[in-house]
Amino acid sequence: MRFFARRAGIILSLCFVFALLHVWTRVLVVQNGYQIRQMMDEQEKLKGEAHTLRLELATLRSPFRLEKMAQQMGLKKPPEKTVTMISARDS
Protein backbone atom coordinates (compact mmCIF):
# COMPACT_ATOMS: atom_id res chain seq x y z
CA MET A 1 0.00 0.00 0.00
CA ARG A 2 2.83 2.35 0.84
CA PHE A 3 4.48 1.72 -2.52
CA PHE A 4 1.22 2.56 -4.30
CA ALA A 5 0.80 5.81 -2.37
CA ARG A 6 4.39 6.84 -3.09
CA ARG A 7 4.05 6.01 -6.75
CA ALA A 8 0.73 7.88 -6.98
CA GLY A 9 2.36 10.89 -5.30
CA ILE A 10 5.19 10.91 -7.83
CA ILE A 11 2.78 10.59 -10.74
CA LEU A 12 0.58 13.39 -9.38
CA SER A 13 3.63 15.58 -8.84
CA LEU A 14 4.81 15.01 -12.40
CA CYS A 15 1.32 15.75 -13.74
CA PHE A 16 1.26 18.95 -11.69
CA VAL A 17 4.67 20.02 -13.05
CA PHE A 18 3.61 19.30 -16.63
CA ALA A 19 0.35 21.20 -16.08
CA LEU A 20 2.30 24.19 -14.75
CA LEU A 21 4.66 24.06 -17.73
CA HIS A 22 1.71 23.91 -20.10
CA VAL A 23 0.01 26.89 -18.45
CA TRP A 24 3.29 28.83 -18.44
CA THR A 25 3.80 28.23 -22.18
CA ARG A 26 0.21 29.28 -22.92
CA VAL A 27 0.73 32.50 -20.95
CA LEU A 28 3.89 33.20 -22.96
CA VAL A 29 2.03 32.61 -26.21
CA VAL A 30 -0.71 35.04 -25.19
CA GLN A 31 1.83 37.67 -24.10
CA ASN A 32 3.71 37.33 -27.38
CA GLY A 33 0.43 37.66 -29.26
CA TYR A 34 -0.31 40.95 -27.48
CA GLN A 35 3.21 42.24 -28.22
CA ILE A 36 2.88 41.32 -31.89
CA ARG A 37 -0.47 43.10 -32.10
CA GLN A 38 0.98 46.23 -30.45
CA MET A 39 3.94 46.22 -32.84
CA MET A 40 1.64 45.78 -35.84
CA ASP A 41 -0.48 48.73 -34.66
CA GLU A 42 2.67 50.82 -34.21
CA GLN A 43 3.87 49.81 -37.67
CA GLU A 44 0.60 50.94 -39.24
CA LYS A 45 0.81 54.22 -37.35
CA LEU A 46 4.38 54.79 -38.54
CA LYS A 47 3.42 53.96 -42.12
CA GLY A 48 0.70 56.61 -41.92
CA GLU A 49 3.16 59.14 -40.52
CA ALA A 50 5.68 58.32 -43.26
CA HIS A 51 3.00 58.81 -45.92
CA THR A 52 2.02 62.16 -44.39
CA LEU A 53 5.64 63.27 -44.27
CA ARG A 54 6.21 62.26 -47.90
CA LEU A 55 3.19 64.34 -48.93
CA GLU A 56 4.43 67.29 -46.88
CA LEU A 57 7.88 67.01 -48.45
CA ALA A 58 6.40 66.94 -51.94
CA THR A 59 4.33 70.00 -51.11
CA LEU A 60 7.32 71.88 -49.71
CA ARG A 61 9.43 71.06 -52.79
CA SER A 62 6.71 72.07 -55.23
CA PRO A 63 8.08 74.46 -57.87
CA PHE A 64 4.82 76.45 -57.80
CA ARG A 65 5.08 76.94 -54.05
CA LEU A 66 8.74 77.96 -54.28
CA GLU A 67 7.99 80.41 -57.08
CA LYS A 68 5.15 81.95 -55.08
CA MET A 69 7.41 82.32 -52.02
CA ALA A 70 10.12 83.92 -54.16
CA GLN A 71 7.60 86.45 -55.49
CA GLN A 72 6.45 87.23 -51.95
CA MET A 73 10.07 87.93 -50.97
CA GLY A 74 10.42 90.30 -53.91
CA LEU A 75 12.56 88.04 -56.04
CA LYS A 76 12.05 88.14 -59.79
CA LYS A 77 13.03 85.88 -62.65
CA PRO A 78 16.12 87.14 -64.47
CA PRO A 79 15.79 88.00 -68.15
CA GLU A 80 16.40 85.03 -70.43
CA LYS A 81 19.52 86.64 -71.93
CA THR A 82 21.30 86.79 -68.58
CA VAL A 83 20.79 83.12 -67.75
CA THR A 84 23.55 80.76 -68.82
CA MET A 85 22.96 77.03 -68.55
CA ILE A 86 26.04 75.00 -67.62
CA SER A 87 26.07 71.26 -68.03
CA ALA A 88 28.30 68.86 -66.16
CA ARG A 89 30.30 68.17 -69.34
CA ASP A 90 31.34 71.83 -69.72
CA SER A 91 33.23 71.97 -66.45
Side-chain angles (χ1 to χ4, degrees), residues 57-71:
L57 180 62
T59 302
L60 292 173
R61 287 184 172 174
S62 165
F64 299 112
R65 178 185 170 276
L66 294 174
E67 190 174 318
K68 183 179 175 184
M69 286 180 64
Q71 288 174 353

Side-chain angles (χ1 to χ4, degrees), residues 7-20:
R7 192 171 189 186
I10 291 172
I11 291 173
L12 285 175
S13 297
L14 288 175
C15 287
F16 181 72
V17 168
F18 285 127
L20 282 178

Side-chain angles (χ1 to χ4, degrees), residues 1-83:
M1 190 68 154
R2 213 168 196 214
F3 175 75
F4 178 74
R6 186 173 180 192
R7 192 171 189 186
I10 291 172
I11 291 173
L12 285 175
S13 297
L14 288 175
C15 287
F16 181 72
V17 168
F18 285 127
L20 282 178
L21 287 173
H22 177 73
V23 169
W24 180 64
T25 58
R26 294 287 96 202
V27 168
L28 289 178
V29 167
V30 169
Q31 286 177 341
N32 288 337
Y34 284 131
Q35 286 178 343
I36 289 170
R37 183 73 239 161
Q38 286 176 342
M39 288 179 178
M40 289 173 71
D41 290 343
E42 185 176 352
Q43 181 184 26
E44 288 301 315
K45 177 185 157 200
L46 292 174
K47 282 181 181 179
E49 286 179 21
H51 179 71
T52 302
L53 290 172
R54 272 189 244 108
L55 288 176
E56 184 178 348
L57 180 62
T59 302
L60 292 173
R61 287 184 172 174
S62 165
F64 299 112
R65 178 185 170 276
L66 294 174
E67 190 174 318
K68 183 179 175 184
M69 286 180 64
Q71 288 174 353
Q72 289 173 350
M73 289 192 274
L75 301 175
K76 297 179 184 175
K77 285 187 177 182
E80 289 290 325
K81 294 178 183 177
T82 61
V83 176

Side-chain angles (χ1 to χ4, degrees), residues 84-91:
T84 306
M85 299 299 283
I86 301 174
S87 67
R89 294 181 192 155
D90 292 341
S91 34

